[in-house]
Amino acid sequence: MTTQKNLLLIILLTMKKYLNNFLLLNLFLLLPQALQASNYALVIHGGAGWFSDMPDEQIKGIEEGLEDALKTGYAILEAGGSSTDAVVEAIVILEDNELFNAGKGAVYTSEFKQELDASIMHGLNNDAGAVASVTNVKNPIRLARYVMDNTEHVMFSSRGAERVAKDAGLDIVYPSYFFQKDRLEDAKRIKKENNKMGTVGVVAIDMEGNISAGTSTGGMTNKMPGRIGDSPIIGAGTWAENNICGVSATGHGEFFIRFNVANEICDLIKYQSKNVNEAAEIVIEKLRSIGADGGVIVLDSEGNVAMTFNTPAMARAYKNSKGEQLIKIYRD
Ligand code: ASP
């Protein structure tokens, strides 16, 4: 952006003799916005983990799910829509896809129930909304957004959150809507571990330079009833700050809460002038060194993207207005 601005200044100064000063001033004030407008982008994760022993068909399904979400979110940005709309609609696509551990595909608790968490943040004024342990809300990310836009609170849990969803007229489903044979069998089989991943998250920057980030999850398989991970915790699983960066995290939530991962990454960019990759690497490496698995997606105000993880794989995708696009699960 700085280079573009310098270029712009040179062009305008060259044109100076043909223009009056007033026109010149207006052009100088308006054109940076036009340059910013060309800088929209969307980045998605569909969980960090092993993705081993997965049939090809399932891998293909995950890639297609990422692509659907990417198309939906990107079309909103391209049409001049807000980053919040792009984040919510892209996450809804993933919540409705049972291959991801969010919404329809949520994993089971140790008592074989599903408790869903989600959060969203808008980078302009640090507005945020979050919900935890909901059991009958079809799209928890819509509820998180409703909390952000329409209540004076930031976070609701379980029955209180479900009441807000009902009052808001959001889609309420029977808990059986989330039933999934495979996930239930996983929970029974790995009764002693809690290692299932597949959380989803999206970060976007729109034509106005607003950054939004959102995360949605069923949590970790075999979690204790009532356990809440990092995904609905603003600062841990989700963070957005205009002119700095947006982050959505995935991984072993307890560590992500204790190290305030999403906010920490933006702080490294803000206070230590790290770039997105350096900031993400520092935090993910710190997590690795203490045995915490996971990853993050990071998007800065210039559209730079980091997709960093310390697990063998992380389902991830991005698309930007420069025409760059990627959809990937494994490292190479
Ligand atoms: N971070 C989520 C949690 O701890 C799980 C995940 O991302 O896989 O609830």
Side-chain angles (χ1 to χ4, degrees), residues 156-198:
F156 285 84
S157 75
S158 56
R159 279 196 300 282
E162 290 165 1
R163 195 184 304 162
V164 175
K166 211 165 158 224
D167 293 348
L170 297 179
D171 287 344
I172 304 293
V173 292
Y174 287 108
S176 59
Y177 163 81
F178 299 106
F179 172 77
Q180 274 194 87
K181 198 165 165 282
D182 291 355
R183 296 268 202 229
L184 185 57
E185 277 164 9
D186 274 354
K188 289 183 176 161
R189 188 163 38 83
I190 60 167
K191 191 83 182 98
K192 289 205 169 55
E193 305 163 39
N194 35 23
N195 65 354
K196 186 72 195 180
M197 297 179 180

Side-chain angles (χ1 to χ4, degrees), residues 48 50 101 106-111 113-117 183 187 190 193-199 217-225 227-231 250-256 292-294:
W50 280 257
N101 171 19
V107 297
Y108 284 81
T109 67
S110 58
E111 290 184 354
K113 300 215 164 80
Q114 286 136 312
E115 298 178 348
L116 284 57
D117 304 331
R183 296 268 202 229
I190 60 167
E193 305 163 39
N194 35 23
N195 65 354
K196 186 72 195 180
M197 297 179 180
T199 293
T217 188
M220 296 181 80
T221 299
N222 201 29
K223 65 184 181 183
M224 287 174 71
R227 175 266 188 189
I228 296 169
D230 61 310
S231 308
T250 174
H252 197 148
E254 280 67 15
F255 293 94
F256 282 66
D293 297 326

Side-chain angles (χ1 to χ4, degrees), residues 61-289:
I62 291 172
E63 286 168 350
E64 285 168 359
L66 291 171
E67 192 176 356
D68 282 353
L70 201 61
K71 274 191 189 147
T72 302
Y74 191 78
I76 292 171
L77 297 175
E78 201 173 28
S82 74
S83 53
T84 303
D85 282 343
V87 165
V88 170
E89 297 312 318
I91 289 183
V92 164
I93 297 281
L94 299 169
E95 284 179 339
D96 290 347
N97 182 334
E98 61 185 31
L99 292 176
F100 296 91
N101 171 19
K104 178 89 183 96
V107 297
Y108 284 81
T109 67
S110 58
E111 290 184 354
F112 310 125
K113 300 215 164 80
Q114 286 136 312
E115 298 178 348
L116 284 57
D117 304 331
S119 67
I120 188 156
M121 184 168 190
H122 187 275
L124 181 62
N125 294 320
N126 286 37
D127 284 337
V131 294
S133 300
V134 295
T135 59
N136 65 1
V137 179
K138 180 170 176 274
N139 295 110
I141 193 68
R142 288 205 194 286
L143 180 54
R145 192 213 180 135
Y146 183 88
V147 169
M148 173 171 83
D149 290 346
N150 299 289
T151 77
E152 58 189 38
H153 304 298
V154 169
M155 190 169 191
F156 285 84
S157 75
S158 56
R159 279 196 300 282
E162 290 165 1
R163 195 184 304 162
V164 175
K166 211 165 158 224
D167 293 348
L170 297 179
D171 287 344
I172 304 293
V173 292
Y174 287 108
S176 59
Y177 163 81
F178 299 106
F179 172 77
Q180 274 194 87
K181 198 165 165 282
D182 291 355
R183 296 268 202 229
L184 185 57
E185 277 164 9
D186 274 354
K188 289 183 176 161
R189 188 163 38 83
I190 60 167
K191 191 83 182 98
K192 289 205 169 55
E193 305 163 39
N194 35 23
N195 65 354
K196 186 72 195 180
M197 297 179 180
T199 293
V200 306
V202 179
V203 185
I205 182 164
D206 60 28
M207 288 185 183
E208 290 180 9
N210 286 314
I211 300 179
S212 296
T215 311
S216 182
T217 188
M220 296 181 80
T221 299
N222 201 29
K223 65 184 181 183
M224 287 174 71
R227 175 266 188 189
I228 296 169
D230 61 310
S231 308
I233 309 285
I234 298 299
T238 301
W239 187 259
E241 195 172 344
N242 278 9
N243 301 315
I244 307 294
C245 80
V247 179
S248 171
T250 174
H252 197 148
E254 280 67 15
F255 293 94
F256 282 66
I257 295 173
R258 289 167 49 206
F259 289 85
N260 204 33
V261 164
N263 177 256
E264 174 77 3
I265 289 173
C266 289
D267 275 0
L268 286 168
I269 294 173
K270 190 164 145 185
Y271 298 119
Q272 292 191 32
S273 308
K274 301 290 180 198
N275 66 37
V276 282
N277 278 302
E278 290 165 347
E281 278 294 339
I282 290 171
V283 176
I284 292 300
E285 173 56 26
K286 192 195 281 176
L287 291 172
R288 193 201 56 77
S289 70

